[in-house]
Amino acid sequence: MSKTSSSTPGLHVDSLLAHGGGGYDRATGAVVPPIPTATTFVRDEAYELRNPGHLYSRDDNDLFLKTEGLIATLEGGAESRLFASGMAAIAAIARTVKPGGTLLVQSGIYWGTTLFLRKLCARGNVALVEADAGDLQVFLDEISVTKPDLVWLEVPSNPFLEVADIRNIATRCKEMGAISCVDATAATPLILKPLRFGADLVMHSATKALNGHSDLLGGVVTTADADSEAWAFVREERKLAGAVLGSFEAWLLLRGLRTLSLRVERMNANTRKLAEFLHEHPKVETVLYPGLASHPQHELARSMMTGGFGSLLSVQFKGGSEEALKVAGALDLFQRATSLGGTESLVEHRYTIEGESSGIPKNLLRLSIGIEHIDDLIADFDQALSVI
């Protein structure tokens, strides 16, 4: 994790987050920012805006600007834009590919992303190529052969926790004139900064760890180059299509960001310890987590991630769907729900949610690890595993 912020030299990122990226409200002295509710702004007698830059709240929202500035600093990027959800952010980026173009997407990622891209490309006359980014040379060759307009990665991937080599893939993208984008939702900007490794865009579902309290939908995209054609499109898409957060949701997101460092620290420590426990358990077939030395991309993950490996892990149990569902049903502290990155730990049988076409193993449970005490999390799994 970066120790200082670029916008405030010498200030530790933890301190920047704690103060919401800007300290007290300059207009009132309030230690938390106000929630702007106005949708439009007045002009004077000459029909000039009384406050330049404030025309309509779809784009002109001071709370957006404050939150976007903080996230751009965390990412080491030039600019950020908030969206109404993570999927809205994905949609804006995917639409940078014009009809007749090609989109190369990493296979085995979040099923919602894959399903959306398949439908979008089929409707929009865009060639969609899906390839395994776990085999670097195969993926690099795919970029060279297909010459995509956009390459979409997810690091680490959800739910298989694969770690793609962002640096080498981004380099090949630049050689071939492709835009590279990384969904780093499962890592957070405190663990992984894809722009540092050459990615053009980084995206997060702010619904997850950035907010961290399972009470809003949001997305954010950050660019390395605010003058790029792709970024101009993303900005315009957010403004004209209107896929924006409400002011209250932006306020909740900024409030959640204030505790991001503390939450990430606890969640990452918990995840590592639980992964180690499960890895040694005789009823577990395999643990998918890049923080384990047994993970095939562990060393690659270590070279890109700082301060942890994220709070998402997947477990495959000896047996099949029946055994996995028995464990999920026996858990008491873990809540059976779909999401990740919140303060509460969640368990999900992805096959039940996604079905046969997703390729998810029937014996796999995806875990999102929260901030509970690690002894309680381990004890909950210890008793649940006794049922199989």
Side-chain angles (χ1 to χ4, degrees):
M1 182 169 64
S2 173
K3 294 299 182 182
T4 61
S5 75
S6 59
S7 62
T8 311
L11 191 62
H12 195 286
V13 166
D14 292 359
S15 301
L16 183 71
L17 285 166
H19 286 265
Y24 65 89
D25 179 57
R26 304 296 172 180
T28 65
V31 296
V32 294
I35 303 174
T37 57
T39 58
T40 191
F41 304 90
V42 300
R43 297 171 179 268
D44 63 17
E45 294 81 356
Y47 219 70
E48 297 291 333
L49 285 169
R50 291 190 178 276
N51 188 342
H54 287 72
L55 170 63
Y56 196 70
S57 64
R58 191 169 56 226
D59 213 38
D60 306 327
N61 184 313
D62 287 342
L63 200 54
F64 288 1
L65 296 175
K66 188 181 185 69
T67 309
E68 289 165 351
L70 175 57
I71 294 173
T73 297
L74 294 181
E75 298 280 16
E79 285 185 4
S80 296
R81 285 295 185 275
L82 295 173
F83 284 82
S85 68
M87 290 308 303
I90 290 169
I93 299 167
R95 291 189 183 108
T96 62
V97 183
K98 299 174 183 177
T102 301
L103 196 166
L104 173 60
V105 61
Q106 176 183 350
S107 58
I109 61 172
Y110 171 53
W111 181 237
T113 300
T114 300
L115 191 60
F116 170 76
L117 293 177
R118 287 177 181 176
K119 291 178 178 293
L120 178 73
C121 291
R123 291 193 302 265
N125 188 31
V126 171
L128 179 66
V129 179
E130 300 178 36
D132 180 12
D135 188 323
L136 176 61
Q137 191 57 53
V138 168
F139 200 79
L140 293 178
D141 291 344
E142 197 69 59
I143 297 172
S144 298
V145 171
T146 59
K147 298 179 175 60
D149 299 279
L150 172 66
V151 173
W152 185 274
L153 301 174
E154 192 177 83
V155 183
S157 67
N158 170 14
F160 293 109
L161 282 300
E162 278 202 342
V163 179
D165 188 332
I166 299 171
R167 191 193 311 274
N168 281 301
I169 292 172
T171 297
R172 180 63 56 88
C173 285
K174 287 179 170 55
E175 292 170 354
M176 302 305 298
I179 299 165
S180 58
C181 180
V182 178
D183 179 344
T185 296
T188 82
L190 299 187
I191 299 298
L192 177 66
K193 300 182 192 299
L195 302 183
R196 285 187 173 177
F197 301 104
D200 297 301
L201 301 171
V202 57
M203 169 267 163
H204 289 267
S205 171
T207 307
K208 310 305 192 296
L210 294 186
N211 172 55
H213 293 81
S214 304
D215 55 11
L216 72 85
L217 293 175
V220 64
V221 185
T222 305
T223 182
D225 180 6
D227 297 320
S228 69
E229 182 180 346
W231 186 243
F233 181 91
V234 170
R235 285 200 314 260
E236 185 175 82
E237 184 77 2
R238 202 282 295 270
K239 180 178 181 179
L240 299 184
V244 298
L245 279 177
S247 290
F248 180 60
E249 286 74 19
W251 185 88
L252 283 175
L253 174 56
L254 186 58
R255 184 178 69 166
L257 284 166
R258 288 186 164 208
T259 60
L260 181 63
S261 289
L262 292 173
R263 289 186 286 106
V264 166
E265 183 178 349
R266 168 63 70 86
M267 292 156 69
N268 275 260
N270 279 352
T271 307
R272 179 180 58 80
K273 291 176 182 176
L274 183 62
E276 291 170 350
F277 166 78
L278 292 169
H279 179 67
E280 298 298 328
H281 201 283
K283 295 181 181 179
V284 170
E285 180 181 295
T286 187
V287 177
L288 307 177
Y289 182 63
L292 293 176
S294 59
H295 190 281
Q297 291 114 24
H298 175 66
E299 291 304 320
L300 175 62
R302 285 186 60 191
S303 73
M304 296 192 299
M305 298 180 179
T306 306
F309 298 90
S311 57
L312 186 71
L313 67 88
S314 291
V315 188
Q316 291 180 259
F317 300 92
K318 293 178 179 178
S321 183
E322 181 181 352
E323 286 74 17
L325 285 168
K326 280 183 177 180
V327 172
L331 289 166
D332 292 326
L333 184 57
F334 279 79
Q335 299 182 43
R336 291 170 287 279
T338 297
S339 197
L340 59 101
T343 58
E344 65 288 325
S345 292
L346 303 179
V347 58
E348 182 177 49
H349 186 238
R350 293 298 296 172
Y351 181 85
T352 297
I353 303 299
E354 297 176 2
E356 187 78 40
S357 61
S358 67
I360 298 295
K362 294 181 180 181
N363 67 340
L364 182 146
L365 291 182
R366 189 190 73 178
L367 310 179
S368 171
I369 309 304
I371 64 171
E372 304 93 340
H373 197 283
I374 185 57
D375 290 351
D376 293 328
L377 295 175
I378 290 176
D380 196 26
F381 250 98
D382 196 30
Q383 64 82 24
L385 283 162
S386 68
V387 305
I388 60 173

